[in-house]
Amino acid sequence: MSVDFTSIHNHNENAVFEAVLAAAPAHPGLAGNGELLADVACVALNRLQPRYIRHAVDFSFYLSEREREDSERQIAEAVDFAFGFVQARVAMRARS
């Protein structure tokens, strides 16, 4: 039996990527470094519950307005934490 799982992805990924790019200008020490921004995205994603979906429309259909707002808030908080975390690690390495 052959099954194609390539349509499955974590709904939070795109939302986090967009939030990281939107917040990057406020963090000039990281904004120009794609590797560090990818680290920020990883830290943020690891703080969020994964939401695996096949089609974005399916996920949106099943969320209430409150759940959607909670998800947006959680993503914003995770991204904010992640920028602080990565900036602290960069500062520690610079002192070493």
Side-chain angles (χ1 to χ4, degrees):
M1 175 162 88
S2 176
V3 179
D4 181 9
F5 293 109
T6 60
S7 65
I8 299 171
H9 63 281
N10 181 350
H11 178 267
N12 289 330
E13 289 175 357
N14 285 336
V16 166
F17 300 158
E18 290 173 11
V20 167
L21 292 176
H27 304 276
L30 305 179
N33 187 322
E35 292 292 316
L36 293 177
L37 292 178
D39 288 345
V40 170
C42 287
V43 171
L45 284 165
N46 283 327
R47 293 184 61 83
L48 296 167
Q49 177 183 359
R51 301 284 188 143
Y52 288 100
I53 60 170
R54 291 189 59 218
H55 307 287
V57 70
D58 293 342
F59 185 72
S60 298
F61 178 76
Y62 290 108
L63 284 182
S64 70
E65 186 62 32
R66 180 176 173 120
E67 289 171 319
R68 192 172 294 110
E69 290 170 359
D70 287 347
S71 178
E72 290 172 5
R73 179 187 48 76
Q74 290 168 356
I75 289 168
E77 289 173 358
V79 168
D80 185 54
F81 173 88
F83 268 104
F85 182 85
V86 172
Q87 283 177 318
R89 296 292 179 187
V90 168
M92 279 183 11
R93 284 186 200 133
R95 286 189 291 241
S96 298

